[in-house]
C-alpha cells in the first residue's frame, strides 16, 4: 500500500475534452477552463511524511520531479490502475468555480477541470488491459467510479442557503455515488430545494446513498389526531440504504453513513433524523445483506450467513474522520460478516484533511482534503492483501 501526492499546475499541455451533455457544465464554471487552462498538467511528487512515503507499490511511471518548460505532457498512466479504481471528491463546499483570491493556497481548478480529468482518465482506464490481474473471465477492463462524499453546500455564494444555483452544476457531474454531509441537512430551505420534485436528489435517484439518514413521512395528513399522525409516521431513507455497482471486475456494495449528529429540528414539514450508526447496523436491511433469516418448526427466527454474497467488495462512504471510532465500529461489524479477506474500502471526510489509515491487510480508510484543493484517487485489487494505493492530486 502506498500514498503519493501529486502537485498539479495549470498549463496548455492537456486540452479540456470536448463533451456532449456536459459542455454546459464547463461554461457554468470558470470560463478560463474552456480556453487556456487544463487539469493534470505538469506533476511533481512529494513524500507526505516518513510514514507515508511512496513504497515499491507507487506508480511505475513516476511523474517528473522537477517540471520545466521542456517537460513533456504527462500521461494518465502515471496513476496506478488496478481492477477497481475510484475518484473521490469530498467537502468541496461549493468551490466549483475556481478559488479566485485563494488560488495561491487552494489551487485554481474548477468542476470543468475535474470533469475533463475524469473523462480523459476514464478513456485510459477503459483501454487498459489488466491481463493476468483481471478478476473476470470475460473482460480485462478495469472499473472506474466517481464519488462525492458530501458537504457540497456552504462555503461560497453559490452554496449559500438555499443552494439553488449549485444544483444545476452538481447535477451534471457523472457521479456513480453521492452521499450527504451535515451541511446538506442543517437548513430547511436548502434541504427543501435539494428534495423538491425534479430536484437534485431526484436526479441522483438510487445513486444517493444515505444509510443512516431518515425522513419522517406521514400517511395520516388528513387526520386531526396528532397521536394518530405520530403513530402512522414512517422513517424512510433520505436516499437509498445501499447500492450495488456492477462492473467488469465484480460487484461493489456501497454504503453511506453520516457521523452521529443526532436529530435536527427543521422548520420545513420534513422531520429529519440521523440515526446512530450502531443502531443502523442492527436493522434488517443491513443484516440481510450478509445473513438469511428462516424460521424453525416453532416459528422462531433463525439467522444464518449467506452462502454467497451479492457483492465482491464493500465501499463504505463515511462522512466522518478517517480514524473516527465509528469507522472502527463499521469495520469490525462488516469484517465480522464478510470474513478476513474481502476488501473493505472506506472513503471518509468532514475533517478537511488528507489522511489514510490501514485498518487491516484488506481494509483502508481514505480522506481527500477539502474545498476542491484535492482530488482523491483510490486503486486496489480485491482480495489481494496490501494492494490499496491512495493518491492525493493537488490542484495548484
Amino acid at each position: 500500500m502506498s500514498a503519493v501526492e501529486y502537485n498539479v499546475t495549470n498549463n496548455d499541455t492537456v486540452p479540456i475534452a470536448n463533451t456532449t451533455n456536459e459542455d454546459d457544465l464547463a461554461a457554468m464554471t470558470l470560463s478560463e477552463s474552456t480556453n487556456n487552462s487544463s487539469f493534470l498538467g505538469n506533476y511533481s511528487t512529494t513524500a507526505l511524511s516518513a510514514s507515508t512515503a511512496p513504497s515499491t507499490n507507487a506508480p511505475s511511471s513516476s511523474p517528473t520531479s522537477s517540471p520545466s518548460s521542456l517537460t513533456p505532457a504527462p500521461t494518465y498512466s502515471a496513476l496506478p490502475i488496478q481492477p477497481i479504481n475510484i475518484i473521490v471528491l469530498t467537502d468541496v463546499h461549493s468551490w466549483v468555480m475556481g478559488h479566485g483570491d485563494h488560488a495561491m493556497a487552494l489551487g485554481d481548478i474548477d468542476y470543468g477541470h475535474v470533469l475533463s480529468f475524469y473523462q480523459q482518465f476514464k478513456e485510459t482506464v477503459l483501454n487498459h488491459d489488466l491481463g493476468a490481474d483481471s478478476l473476470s473471465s470475460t473482460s480485462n477492463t478495469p472499473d472506474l467510479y466517481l464519488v462525492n462524499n458530501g458537504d457540497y453546500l456552504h462555503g461560497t455564494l453559490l452554496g449559500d442557503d438555499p443552494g439553488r444555483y449549485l444544483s444545476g452544476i452538481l447535477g451534471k457531474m457523472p457521479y456513480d455515488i453521492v452521499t450527504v454531509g451535515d451541511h446538506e441537512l442543517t437548513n430547511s430551505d436548502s434541504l427543501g430545494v435539494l428534495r423538491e420534485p425534479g430536484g437534485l436528489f431526484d436526479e441522483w435517484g438510487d445513486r444517493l446513498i444515505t444509510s443512516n439518514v431518515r425522513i419522517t413521512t406521514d400517511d395520516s395528513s388528513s387526520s386531526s389526531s396528532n397521536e394518530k399522525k405520530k403513530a402512522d409516521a414512517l422513517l424512510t431513507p433520505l436516499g437509498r440504504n445501499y447500492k450495488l455497482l456492477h462492473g467488469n471486475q465484480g460487484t461493489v456494495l456501497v454504503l453511506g453513513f453520516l457521523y452521529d449528529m443526532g436529530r435536527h429540528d427543521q422548520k420545513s414539514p420534513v422531520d429529519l433524523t440521523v440515526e446512530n450508526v450502531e443502531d443502523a447496523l442492527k436493522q434488517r436491511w443491513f443484516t440481510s445483506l450478509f445473513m438469511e433469516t428462516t424460521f424453525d418448526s416453532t416459528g422462531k427466527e433463525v439467522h444464518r450467513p449467506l452462502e454467497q454474497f451479492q457483492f465482491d467488495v464493500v465501499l463504505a462512504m463515511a462522512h466522518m474522520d478517517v480514524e473516527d471510532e465509528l469507522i472502527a465500529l463499521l469495520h469490525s461489524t462488516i469484517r465480522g460478516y464478510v470474513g478476513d479477506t474481502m476488501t473493505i474500502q472506506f472513503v471518509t471526510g468532514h475533517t478537511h484533511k488528507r489522511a489514510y489509515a490501514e485498518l487491516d491487510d484488506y481494509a483502508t480508510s481514505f480522506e481527500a482534503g477539502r474545498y476542491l484543493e484535492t482530488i482523491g484517487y483510490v486503486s486496489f485489487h480485491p482480495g489481494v492483501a496490501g494492494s490499496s494505493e491512495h493518491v492525493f492530486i493537488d490542484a495548484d
Side-chain angles (χ1 to χ4, degrees):
M1 182 178 63
S2 65
V4 180
E5 180 171 343
Y6 294 109
N7 296 323
V8 183
T9 58
N10 291 328
N11 57 34
D12 296 324
T13 57
V14 183
I16 295 296
N18 292 323
T19 64
T20 53
N21 295 333
E22 293 83 9
D23 270 340
D24 50 349
L25 174 63
M28 283 188 290
T29 54
L30 191 64
S31 60
E32 293 177 358
S33 69
T34 59
N35 298 322
N36 59 13
S37 64
S38 65
F39 190 54
L40 286 186
N42 295 329
Y43 301 97
S44 65
T45 302
T46 305
L48 301 180
S49 68
S51 62
T52 58
S55 70
T56 55
N57 292 326
S60 57
S61 177
S62 298
T64 304
S65 58
S66 301
S68 70
S69 60
L70 299 179
T71 300
T75 64
Y76 296 127
S77 63
L79 294 175
I81 299 176
Q82 298 190 74
I84 295 183
N85 310 276
I86 306 169
I87 297 172
V88 179
L89 294 181
T90 190
D91 296 271
V92 174
H93 285 292
S94 74
W95 288 93
V96 299
M97 296 181 64
H99 295 101
D101 292 341
H102 302 279
M104 289 295 292
L106 298 175
D108 200 23
I109 69 165
D110 57 43
Y111 262 27
H113 296 104
V114 177
L115 179 61
S116 178
F117 161 57
Y118 168 75
Q119 291 173 326
Q120 295 184 55
F121 186 60
K122 183 175 183 179
E123 183 177 351
T124 298
V125 170
L126 292 177
N127 290 325
H128 185 85
D129 190 337
L130 289 168
D133 289 331
S134 177
L135 302 172
S136 170
S137 60
T138 59
S139 175
N140 288 345
T141 303
D143 296 319
L144 178 67
Y145 300 111
L146 177 64
V147 303
N148 187 313
N149 198 34
D151 271 8
Y152 24 88
L153 292 186
H154 300 158
T156 74
L157 289 176
L158 279 178
D160 277 354
D161 298 314
R164 186 173 298 278
Y165 299 108
L166 193 62
S167 295
I169 299 175
L170 292 175
K172 288 183 168 49
M173 293 295 286
Y175 293 121
D176 296 289
I177 294 293
V178 183
T179 189
V180 296
D182 52 305
H183 282 262
E184 281 72 65
L185 308 180
T186 53
N187 180 274
S188 59
D189 291 336
S190 287
L191 184 60
V193 168
L194 293 171
R195 295 191 63 244
E196 64 187 11
L200 190 58
F201 282 3
D202 274 359
E203 185 169 354
W204 282 335
D206 67 355
R207 295 177 291 162
L208 177 64
I209 308 302
T210 57
S211 301
N212 68 323
V213 181
R214 300 283 184 261
I215 56 172
T216 302
T217 59
D218 188 353
D219 293 334
S220 58
S221 57
S222 61
S223 170
S224 60
S225 169
N226 289 334
E227 288 302 316
K228 187 177 188 303
K229 287 183 179 182
K230 184 176 180 180
D232 290 343
L234 301 173
L235 283 177
T236 60
L238 178 64
R240 300 293 191 274
N241 285 326
Y242 68 92
K243 183 177 176 63
L244 296 175
L245 294 174
H246 301 284
N248 298 312
Q249 300 300 313
T251 300
V252 179
L253 167 64
V254 185
L255 305 166
F257 289 95
L258 181 60
Y259 68 91
D260 292 346
M261 61 183 291
R263 189 183 186 90
H264 282 260
D265 293 326
Q266 300 288 318
K267 296 179 182 179
S268 70
V270 176
D271 193 358
L272 181 75
T273 299
V274 179
E275 296 176 324
N276 289 341
V277 172
E278 183 176 6
D279 294 336
L281 298 181
K282 298 174 182 177
Q283 295 176 3
R284 180 66 62 87
W285 73 263
F286 179 80
T287 59
S288 64
L289 293 168
F290 313 98
M291 306 284 287
E292 63 176 345
T293 301
T294 58
F295 297 89
D296 63 17
S297 58
T298 67
K300 183 180 179 180
E301 285 189 357
V302 178
H303 305 282
R304 297 188 179 90
L306 291 172
E307 293 184 4
Q308 184 173 358
F309 298 125
Q310 300 180 61
F311 50 88
D312 308 291
V313 173
V314 178
L315 172 61
M317 308 284 290
H319 195 82
M320 59 190 73
D321 185 75
V322 67
E323 293 185 292
D324 193 291
E325 61 183 10
L326 293 174
I327 295 295
L329 174 64
L330 285 162
H331 172 243
S332 62
T333 301
I334 297 170
R335 179 61 74 211
Y337 283 125
V338 302
D340 295 335
T341 60
M342 180 178 287
T343 297
I344 306 172
Q345 178 64 59
F346 288 90
V347 170
T348 61
H350 183 61
T351 53
H352 296 187
K353 64 185 180 183
R354 297 178 176 185
Y356 75 93
E358 183 176 356
L359 306 179
D360 63 39
D361 287 343
Y362 299 88
T364 61
S365 182
F366 174 66
E367 183 171 349
R370 59 175 185 166
Y371 306 160
L372 205 62
E373 46 91 67
T374 304
I375 310 300
Y377 180 74
V378 184
S379 179
F380 56 86
H381 192 300
V384 175
S387 67
S388 182
E389 296 190 69
H390 303 82
V391 179
F392 300 104
I393 302 174
D394 186 7
D396 61 2

